[in-house]
Amino acid sequence: MGLRNTESIHYQSSPEDLVEDTLRIGEGILTDTGALSIRTGAFTGRSPKDKFTVKDASTESSVDWNEFNLPIDEKYFHVIHKKIMEYLDEQPELWVRDCYACADPRYRVNIRVVTEKPWTNLFAYNMFLRPKEEELDDFKPEWHVISAPGLKLDAATCGTRQHNAAIVSFKHKTILIAGSGYTGETKKGIFTILNYILPHEKNVLSMHCSANMGENGDTAIFFGLSGTGKTTLSADPKRKLIGDDEHGWTDDNIFNFEGGCYAKLIGLTEDKEPEIFHAIRPGAIVENVRFFEGTNKINFDDGSITENTRVSYPLDFISNAQEPSIGSIPKNIFFLTSDAFGVLPPISKLSPGQAMYQFISGYTAKVAGTEVGIKEPKPTFSACFGAPFLPLHPGQYAKMLGKKMQQHKVNIWMINTGWTGGPYGVGNRMKLSFTRAMITAALEEKLDNVEMTMDPVFGVAIPKEVPGVPTEILTPKNTWSDKAAYDEKASYLAGLFVKNFEQYASGVNEEIRSAAPKV
Ligand code: ATP
Ligand code: MN
């Protein structure tokens, strides 16, 4: 790669060595349970406005150029690439890791990650799939991820917005990350390229979802934007975890892209999220947390560095992880949304038309943390529950999902993990134990013969009873003291849906269009 001056290049270091290297250079501390605690620097979340895709002959007409797919000229890719390599060449040491994405061997993508920081390398070890020793001899990297958080770009000569950027080139099969140490950029960089390669070249649907599997091998997947509960709800002691964030759906299976989990730590308790709590041990990296004064014990309630405190760990830190991370065709799909208006029902069943409508809409409230600048919940529509990571037009993913849902007669549920009893500021977040009970009831087929009522605004079917859940919370309006205020908010949200859908309405059929909420 043209690195000549770097004194030490650590190749394929063990997690223990990477922890030691991080401690040695003074960039980490061990927590009381032996996990590595680090700070990612000025960036504690992704920076979508600084993510660029090289516009060239191959991407010009295939990529859906929009606010998330910002074009950059190839000449700048070369400028930045050169800058990064020169910068890395000046470092006394570097860390290189060979790994791969996609648990299904038919779709495996080999990746070489080159990092300025040992802890970024450990993140790659935790999050991507780990080749066996014997596979390394003839390992051919297909994609490169090059991470230089310490390099500040000169925006004027680099064609970027500011000093930091993540640049994807499909032609050069390279992701360049400069000026940001947020580890999630590497993970979501690879997710972005898979969201192009798999549907565009391999006829595999790529999805921003978690997945788990019951004792009988029945698979469930959970779509949702950041903070809606993909990681939390897929870690279910009664089911095997397939993966917590990114999956592909082929003609005969679903498979995880990754080899690890990246879970939020804010407000974590052993009681509510035991699986994640116990994964915080040697090898895991915790990011941007603070300790209780005078201890190395994490204060999970302290969001003073960021609300987006995180832990990354290999999938097998979860006791019941499925290995390899492959599952059968899903029997149930959950669309998770965190509705800060508190008007969507906590569980509802969707018709095929409603399912497509909701998938294309991708509604949630963005919660503080994962993205720079989000301080309180803000209603967002993000197509396919993942617009920031989708290089192709949302219609392409939606079409593939629609076909698969129909072909396999999948049950589709919408779960509101957000507010109940009123909007943000008045009501409360739905109790996690209730959400879990609702999902369990759906998975155990306990809602198949329950009477349903139709939500007058959103048209979705609400079960009249769910085992383990107080009946009155199933219909959101019942939980509001001010019924008129509920109607007003519900109608307001319906209006937002309709307005957002205008851009898609002409591209879908009547069945989907008529699934719109009633304003
Ligand atoms: P990302 O894409 O950023 O990884 P995610 O969809 O995986 O996001 P989680 O990490 O699961 O989201 O975050 C959900 C957060 O909301 C957790 O901190 C969880 O404790 C909290 N939470 C509170 N109430 C609920 C609920 N009823 N259901 C799910 N999560 C809840
Ligand atoms: Mn997650």
Side-chain angles (χ1 to χ4, degrees), residues 187-188 227 229-232 244-245 262-264 310:
K187 164 193 153 71
K188 285 298 204 294
K230 293 183 298 302
T231 301
T232 301
D244 92 327
D245 200 48
Y262 194 36
K264 280 191 232 310
R310 294 262 181 174

Side-chain angles (χ1 to χ4, degrees), residues 458-509:
F458 299 97
V460 296
I462 305 174
K464 279 197 158 163
E465 284 160 41
V466 177
V469 179
T471 301
E472 63 273 17
I473 69 164
L474 296 172
T475 306
K477 193 168 174 175
N478 293 345
T479 68
W480 287 51
S481 52
D482 186 343
K483 311 289 178 206
Y486 174 87
D487 288 336
E488 197 184 307
K489 267 281 184 294
S491 178
Y492 179 68
L493 178 58
L496 295 183
F497 265 100
V498 169
K499 181 149 197 331
N500 170 69
F501 207 80
E502 279 168 7
Q503 59 188 306
Y504 307 111
S506 65
V508 301
N509 63 29

Side-chain angles (χ1 to χ4, degrees), residues 332-347:
N332 289 282
I333 296 180
F334 295 90
F335 292 155
L336 307 176
T337 173
S338 176
D339 172 27
F341 293 126
V343 296
L344 288 178
I347 182 165

Side-chain angles (χ1 to χ4, degrees), residues 223-233 264 336-338 363-365 367 385 415-418 429 435:
F223 283 94
L225 287 153
S226 185
T228 56
K230 293 183 298 302
T231 301
T232 301
L233 297 168
K264 280 191 232 310
L336 307 176
T337 173
S338 176
Y363 165 69
T364 197
V367 216
F385 299 102
I415 302 286
N416 175 10
T417 66
R429 186 111 191 239
T435 300

